[in-house]
Amino acid sequence: MKEQNEKILEIAERIRALRDILEIPAQDMAKATGVSVKRYEELERGERDFSFTFLYQCANCFGVDIAEILTGDMPKLSFYTIVRAGKGLPISRRSGFQYQHMAHLFKHRVAEPFVVTAPYSEEEQAKPIDLSRHEGQEFDFILKGSLKVALEGHEEILHEGDALYYDSGHGHGMIATGGEDCVFLALVLKPEEPESKKEKKKK
């Protein structure tokens, strides 16, 4: 737990440093990440869990790879990369969903592939599911267990082998259901970049 807390503090420090370097006010970052200024400042101090959506939107705002925020290093591979079973880059969290990034060493990715474990909670079953939003599209494929998904007024139950594809700019949220943890593949597809940004990356 201590090591995990230290990693979270390191990520928070990288977010703060990038914001300072780019001279982005905390208020602007709060708006871009969809949280209150108070919540953003707590996240930047490492006092709260990071959601994937928060980290993804921070990376977009800073114009960096999400792996750079997570590790401090830039991805270097451009031909192919292999990640062995259980060796994905974890998104450090104190509780909640556990993410393993399965292509963090590949630069200029057009997608963010994760193996996600959603822990089952009996308490969550009767509660409204929190919704999040981020640019792009997402594909989720259930590997084990069952997932209850809320999509702006719609609710779906997915089982092993089922798949869901959606516009992630719309509110979406999910919890494990059926009495056990759910493991699924989540492929987050980035929005198309302007040509000017593509040219800058090539240089």
Side-chain angles (χ1 to χ4, degrees):
M1 186 68 173
K2 182 181 177 183
E3 182 181 352
Q4 194 173 44
N5 286 341
E6 288 174 354
K7 287 182 179 178
I8 288 172
L9 289 171
E10 288 172 4
I11 292 169
E13 173 59 25
R14 282 192 281 271
I15 290 171
R16 186 199 63 75
L18 283 164
R19 182 176 66 79
D20 284 350
I21 290 168
L22 296 170
E23 299 181 341
I24 303 174
Q27 292 88 341
D28 290 358
M29 285 301 299
K31 184 176 180 181
T33 54
V35 298
S36 67
V37 174
K38 181 175 182 290
R39 174 66 64 90
Y40 176 81
E41 290 173 343
E42 290 170 347
L43 287 159
E44 197 177 79
R45 290 195 297 266
E47 295 172 1
R48 285 183 173 271
D49 276 353
F50 302 116
S51 67
F52 162 74
T53 299
F54 177 80
L55 294 172
Y56 183 78
Q57 291 175 331
C58 282
N60 284 343
C61 287
F62 298 145
V64 300
D65 193 290
I66 192 171
E68 187 174 353
I69 291 178
L70 294 173
T71 68
D73 295 324
M74 283 291 291
K76 298 176 175 64
L77 301 178
S78 59
F79 179 22
Y80 73 92
T81 178
I82 294 174
V83 175
R84 301 297 180 185
K87 301 297 183 181
L89 176 68
I91 291 185
S92 298
R93 300 197 63 189
R94 298 185 181 96
S95 61
F97 282 30
Q98 299 299 316
Y99 293 80
Q100 282 203 346
H101 201 302
M102 304 306 289
H104 62 283
L105 297 175
F106 197 91
K107 63 183 180 180
H108 305 329
R109 294 183 303 277
V110 297
E112 305 288 355
F114 295 93
V115 172
V116 186
T117 300
Y120 177 79
S121 167
E122 185 64 39
E123 185 182 347
E124 287 184 333
Q125 301 306 305
K127 291 182 178 178
I129 298 175
D130 291 334
L131 303 183
S132 61
R133 297 169 177 79
H134 54 84
E135 290 186 331
Q137 299 173 350
E138 186 165 337
F139 172 77
D140 296 334
F141 181 82
I142 310 304
L143 301 171
K144 178 185 175 185
S146 299
L147 197 68
K148 183 190 291 186
V149 185
L151 298 154
E152 291 186 354
H154 300 271
E155 190 172 279
E156 303 286 349
I157 304 292
L158 304 179
H159 303 289
E160 186 175 325
D162 290 343
L164 172 69
Y165 191 100
Y166 55 96
D167 180 344
S168 48
H170 290 281
H172 59 280
M174 52 207 66
I175 60 169
T177 194
E180 64 176 338
D181 294 354
C182 179
V183 181
F184 62 99
L185 172 67
L187 188 65
V188 180
L189 303 162
K190 300 178 180 180
E192 183 69 19
E193 288 183 342
E195 289 299 322
S196 57
K197 199 168 182 179
K198 288 181 182 176
E199 290 300 319
K200 187 178 179 182
K201 279 186 176 180
K202 290 177 184 177
K203 294 179 181 177

